[in-house]
């Protein structure tokens, strides 16, 4: 088990550091004043550091002991078993915390069990409503993947209304998925202003890139003014290429956020956007 070996290696390192701090003064036998002062200083320094190291090692051991089952299932990527484990924690023991809810929803998505994601959302809404907003991208993604595009657009719009005065990456992605849901539902006129706004004003280079790509392809092909949308897409494309010089840098940006579920489900479009951005 990788987690097991990691904990063991970390523990060995801490123990070695502790031994060095404790034993170093014992091997210094010079009795002159300067050396005596050094020995005294080492002894005074080693005690608090020793306590800190012991506490750190203890906390690591406790964390690993109580989360061993969860960590091992995550490492094996045994999603059905992980889902069952989390269901016992959440539904049976009533432990509706942010980490468990997010992991269970993600496990359902990986196994394409969208109905269970929505059931989790309903139960979480009753137990801890705040967790719905925290995991809005995951719950919304379940609607997108299940084909309920109109319902997905309504869900994202509701979350955006609740976060109207907030900014940041999460709000940006909520806005993008609202436009994406409208596009999938065939409401191109509703999707167009969303992608145009994000392509022109978002600070997230990935969002700018895929929004520009959608303007140049899906929106332009289903609009009475394709030239305008292609012009907007071209301008956004140039801004992306100025900050990201080549496909390798684009892939690096994607790698940093690739672990997020909402990014994983649109990876096909992100890869297509990358090819479009850096095509000659």
């Amino acid at each position: 088990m990788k987690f097991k070996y990691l904990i063991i290696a970390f523990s060995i390192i801490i123990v070695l550091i502790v031994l060095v701090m404790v034993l170093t003064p014992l091997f210094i036998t010079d009795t002159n004043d300067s050396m005596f002062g050094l020995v005294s200083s080492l002894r005074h320094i080693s005690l608090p550091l020793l306590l800190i190291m012991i506490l750190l090692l203890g906390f690591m051991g406790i964390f690993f002991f109580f989360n061993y089952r969860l960590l091992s299932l995550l490492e094996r990527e045994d999603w059905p078993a992980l889902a069952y484990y989390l269901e016992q924690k959440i539904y049976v023991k009533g432990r509706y915390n942010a980490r468990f809810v997010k992991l269970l929803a993600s496990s359902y998505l990986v196994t394409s069990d969208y109905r269970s994601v929505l059931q989790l959302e309903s139960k979480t809404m009753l137990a801890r409503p705040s967790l719905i907003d925290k995991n809005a991208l995951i719950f919304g993604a379940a609607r997108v993947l299940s084909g309920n595009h109109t319902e997905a657009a309504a869900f994202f719009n509701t979350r955006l209304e609740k976060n109207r005065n907030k900014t940041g990456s999460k709000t940006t992605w909520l806005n993008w998925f609202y436009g994406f849901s409208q596009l999938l539902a065939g409401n191109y006129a509703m999707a167009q202003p969303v992608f145009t706004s994000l392509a022109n004003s978002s600070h997230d280079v990935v969002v700018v890139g895929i929004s520009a790509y959608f303007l140049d392809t899906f929106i332009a092909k289903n609009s009475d003014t394709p030239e305008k949308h292609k012009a907007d897409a071209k301008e956004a494309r140039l801004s992306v290429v100025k900050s990201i010089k080549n496909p390798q840098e684009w892939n690096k940006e994607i790698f940093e956020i690739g672990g997020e579920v909402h990014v994983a489900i649109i990876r096909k479009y992100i890869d297509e956007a990358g090819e479009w951005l850096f095509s000659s």
Side-chain angles (χ1 to χ4, degrees):
M1 296 294 295
K2 293 180 181 179
F3 282 114
K4 178 181 178 181
Y5 295 146
L6 180 62
I7 294 297
I8 292 174
F10 186 77
S11 301
I12 291 174
I13 291 172
I14 290 182
V15 170
L16 289 175
I17 293 174
V18 169
L19 288 175
V20 169
M21 290 190 302
V22 172
L23 297 178
T24 296
L26 300 179
F27 289 100
I28 300 176
T29 57
D30 198 317
T31 57
N32 62 48
D33 291 341
S34 61
M35 190 59 68
F36 181 78
L38 176 60
V39 173
S40 178
S41 299
L42 284 171
R43 284 172 177 165
H44 284 298
I45 292 173
S46 66
L47 181 58
L49 287 178
L50 176 62
L51 292 175
I52 291 173
M53 291 295 182
I54 290 174
L55 287 174
L56 181 60
L57 185 59
F59 283 132
M60 288 289 293
I62 292 172
F63 174 81
F64 182 74
F65 177 79
F66 284 104
N67 293 276
Y68 177 79
R69 179 64 175 165
L70 176 62
L71 293 173
S72 63
L73 290 173
L74 279 170
E75 185 182 14
R76 296 203 310 265
E77 297 185 355
D78 189 345
W79 306 116
L82 178 61
Y84 177 78
Y85 171 82
L86 291 169
E87 286 169 350
Q88 301 305 303
K89 294 288 186 181
I90 295 173
Y91 297 145
V92 177
K93 298 183 179 180
R95 296 178 61 182
Y96 283 85
N97 64 49
R99 183 175 56 142
F100 286 166
V101 169
K102 181 178 181 178
L103 283 175
L104 181 55
S106 300
S107 299
Y108 287 147
L109 281 182
V110 171
T111 57
S112 302
D113 189 356
Y114 310 128
R115 180 179 179 181
S116 292
V117 179
L118 300 181
Q119 289 177 343
L120 173 63
E121 178 188 329
S122 298
K123 294 180 180 180
T124 303
M125 178 65 77
L126 296 174
R128 286 191 62 185
S130 63
L131 294 183
I132 302 301
D133 283 335
K134 288 184 178 179
N135 296 286
L137 288 169
I138 295 178
F139 290 126
R143 290 172 168 82
V144 173
L145 292 171
S146 63
N148 297 324
H149 302 138
T150 300
E151 184 182 336
F155 175 86
F156 287 119
N157 187 54
T158 299
R159 304 277 82 75
L160 286 168
E161 288 294 325
K162 294 186 66 174
N163 294 274
R164 181 177 297 176
N165 298 322
K166 295 182 180 180
T167 58
S169 178
K170 178 182 174 182
T171 302
T172 298
W173 279 107
L174 285 172
N175 201 14
W176 190 90
F177 269 95
Y178 168 70
F180 183 54
S181 300
Q182 293 286 17
L183 185 146
L184 292 176
N187 300 323
Y188 300 103
M190 298 290 289
Q192 177 268 315
V194 176
F195 291 129
T196 300
S197 175
L198 290 172
N200 292 333
S201 61
S202 176
H203 298 294
D204 189 320
V205 70
V206 175
V207 170
V208 173
I210 57 177
S211 297
Y213 169 68
F214 272 42
L215 282 175
D216 186 72
T217 52
F218 301 101
I219 299 300
K221 290 179 181 178
N222 294 276
S223 171
D224 296 330
T225 57
E227 295 82 5
K228 179 182 183 305
H229 303 315
K230 283 186 172 292
D232 289 338
K234 182 179 180 180
E235 183 178 351
R237 176 185 179 182
L238 290 174
S239 71
V240 172
V241 174
K242 282 182 180 179
S243 59
I244 297 181
K245 308 299 182 182
N246 51 58
Q248 290 72 32
E249 291 187 18
W250 172 260
N251 291 333
K252 183 178 179 181
E253 291 284 336
I254 304 307
F255 179 78
E256 292 178 357
I257 60 173
E260 297 292 337
V261 174
H262 64 274
V263 174
I265 69 172
I266 59 167
R267 185 58 189 264
K268 170 180 177 289
Y269 298 108
I270 291 177
D271 291 339
E272 290 176 359
E275 294 177 4
W276 173 78
L277 285 167
F278 299 101
S279 60
S280 54

